[in-house]
Amino acid sequence: MLCSRSNGIRASAIALTFSCASAMASECDGHPVQTVEFRGRPMTVRIGNMARALPENSVVVLGDSIVARWPKPQLAGVLGDPIVVLANGGDRIENTNWTLTQVDQSKARTVRRVVSEVGTANLTDTGCEFVARTRAYFQNLRRVFSNAKIYALNIYQKGLGGRARVEQVRAANEAIRSAAADNNIAYVDIHDPLENKCVGQESCALLEANRVHPSQAGYDLFTAVLQDAMRRR
């Protein structure tokens, strides 16, 4: 069974993509899906070097600009030190999966906690492609950090009035939730708390003017949500 292509991720396609054998085989429409990719930027090289030199008993943060811009002292206050941020603006799931291939395995076994936030840059993928990349990434995440408590943040609504790619975000979050559950990873919902305060507003104090990145108030909210998730796990 192969996944049919669509223009981005559609909520109505969730049942199809989750049962799609081609997604598990990292193949869609008879074409292979690249689940690991080296982005080739100077920051990518730096992140690879950091991944190979993790301190023992560290905390790791993975993802794109959303977590890269999260104030490190604020993260450390919740997660503890030493904290290593392996995040790069614009990274796709397959780029973050490449980062995992660079992690020193002997040091990875000592990592205490991991926070992951991926997927925004993949919202133009087909449903099958997104599921394939998400499954491959979370399987690898759990394999690499086998002893850590892992927290997977979902994707929040962006764009004017929080209306950008609404169906795609919902379907992507269901894919993240499912893959996290399959790999004993805690699913952390930052979408709904932000949506409850921002959707429909032309401006929102929780987001910067670009309606993409959180403001400090937004990071305060995300920190509280993450802290609550940690208390429950």
Side-chain angles (χ1 to χ4, degrees):
M1 176 182 176
L2 297 178
C3 293
S4 58
R5 288 187 67 86
S6 60
N7 294 323
I9 304 166
R10 298 184 183 278
S12 60
I14 291 175
L16 169 65
T17 55
F18 279 9
S19 62
C20 182
S22 66
M24 296 185 68
S26 297
E27 184 177 290
C28 295
D29 279 351
H31 300 290
V33 176
Q34 193 165 3
T35 59
V36 178
E37 183 176 2
F38 174 62
R39 194 173 174 196
R41 295 194 173 191
M43 187 61 181
T44 309
V45 175
R46 182 185 170 208
I47 286 174
N49 291 336
M50 292 168 62
R52 289 186 289 274
L54 288 179
E56 289 191 358
N57 301 309
S58 59
V59 174
V60 174
V61 178
L62 292 152
D64 55 30
S65 62
I66 305 303
V67 287
R69 295 161 65 109
W70 202 324
K72 199 170 180 180
Q74 192 169 28
L75 278 172
V78 176
L79 300 169
D81 276 318
I83 187 165
V84 181
V85 179
L86 304 176
N88 191 12
D91 269 8
R92 293 168 55 84
I93 296 169
E94 56 268 36
N95 304 139
T96 307
N97 208 7
W98 174 86
T99 300
L100 292 177
T101 69
Q102 304 302 298
V103 174
D104 183 299
Q105 288 299 288
S106 62
K107 294 174 181 176
R109 286 192 289 270
T110 73
V111 169
R112 296 176 290 117
R113 298 187 182 98
V114 177
V115 173
S116 167
E117 178 274 326
V118 298
T120 295
N122 291 82
L123 289 175
T124 55
D125 288 2
T126 67
C128 182
E129 290 165 348
F130 193 96
V131 169
R133 290 180 171 125
T134 302
R135 284 180 172 173
Y137 169 70
F138 280 111
Q139 287 169 2
N140 202 21
L141 184 63
R142 173 45 73 195
R143 180 188 62 79
V144 171
F145 298 109
S146 56
N147 297 324
K149 292 182 178 179
I150 306 178
Y151 303 89
L153 277 59
N154 64 3
I155 302 170
Y156 61 86
Q157 291 294 158
K158 303 172 180 69
L160 188 63
R163 300 185 185 95
R165 301 184 185 279
V166 173
E167 288 190 2
Q168 290 93 333
V169 169
R170 288 174 181 164
N173 283 342
E174 180 58 21
I176 292 168
R177 184 205 60 76
S178 178
D182 288 345
N183 292 281
N184 190 29
I185 293 171
Y187 176 75
V188 182
D189 179 18
I190 60 173
H191 174 279
D192 287 1
L194 189 140
E195 182 180 48
N196 291 340
K197 295 179 181 292
C198 291
V199 165
Q201 299 181 33
E202 298 305 310
S203 63
C204 178
L206 300 179
L207 295 172
E208 292 185 350
N210 63 13
R211 299 287 302 190
V212 173
H213 295 105
S215 63
Q216 183 56 57
Y219 282 117
D220 291 346
L221 173 65
F222 293 171
T223 300
V225 171
L226 177 59
Q227 197 165 27
D228 182 63
M230 291 172 61
R231 280 195 295 263
R232 289 185 281 107
R233 187 173 177 83

